Amino acid sequence: MSSVESPTFQISRPGEGPGLTLDASAARRLAALSGAEGRPVMLRVAVDGGGCSGFQYRFELVETAAADDLSITAAGQTALVDPVSLPFLVGSEIAFVDDLSGAQFVVRNPNAASSCGCGVSFSI
């Protein structure tokens, strides 16, 4: 059985480059999590200082957005990014992978000069 990939959606602000993309795999996972929770949930993606490479990604499921959050919507699902984290994520893709290392949300970040083995922390 083949499935049709829904298109990704990209958000950007004027002058901030190509924006941030929510991949269809992440949208599908958010839909499944919302179904399991019995209510809509959104994925908050943030960049914090720390981790073995200098910065680390933080993922959190939330029900409401903060007033200054940017929202990225694909296939009816939403990810949120705060304005402080956005410059670290411009040009990135939020995806969901399920492979030998586990099932998790990931950020494919072209700005990262290096990252740790688990992919949670990175340096610029």
Side-chain angles (χ1 to χ4, degrees):
M1 181 168 116
S2 74
S3 63
V4 175
E5 292 283 325
S6 56
T8 59
F9 181 82
Q10 187 167 306
I11 188 169
S12 62
R13 286 182 166 174
E16 288 187 347
L20 180 61
T21 302
L22 181 63
D23 185 87
S25 63
R28 281 193 304 273
R29 182 62 178 164
L30 282 170
L33 291 169
S34 292
E37 291 288 321
R39 62 187 181 280
V41 294
M42 297 175 278
L43 178 67
R44 176 178 303 285
V45 181
V47 174
D48 295 329
C52 55
S53 295
F55 296 101
Q56 60 188 359
Y57 301 113
R58 180 172 36 93
F59 301 99
E60 179 183 9
L61 293 176
V62 298
E63 293 181 36
T64 58
D68 62 347
D69 278 339
L70 298 163
S71 64
I72 304 113
T73 304
Q77 304 304 311
T78 303
L80 304 168
V81 177
D82 63 271
V84 174
S85 297
L86 184 61
F88 296 100
L89 298 169
V90 169
S92 297
E93 175 184 64
I94 302 167
F96 183 79
V97 296
D98 188 355
D99 58 21
L100 292 175
S101 63
Q104 60 189 342
F105 287 101
V106 296
V107 175
R108 296 179 181 132
N109 190 340
N111 305 305
S114 64
S115 64
C116 67
C118 66
V120 173
S121 69
F122 66 100
S123 66
I124 293 185

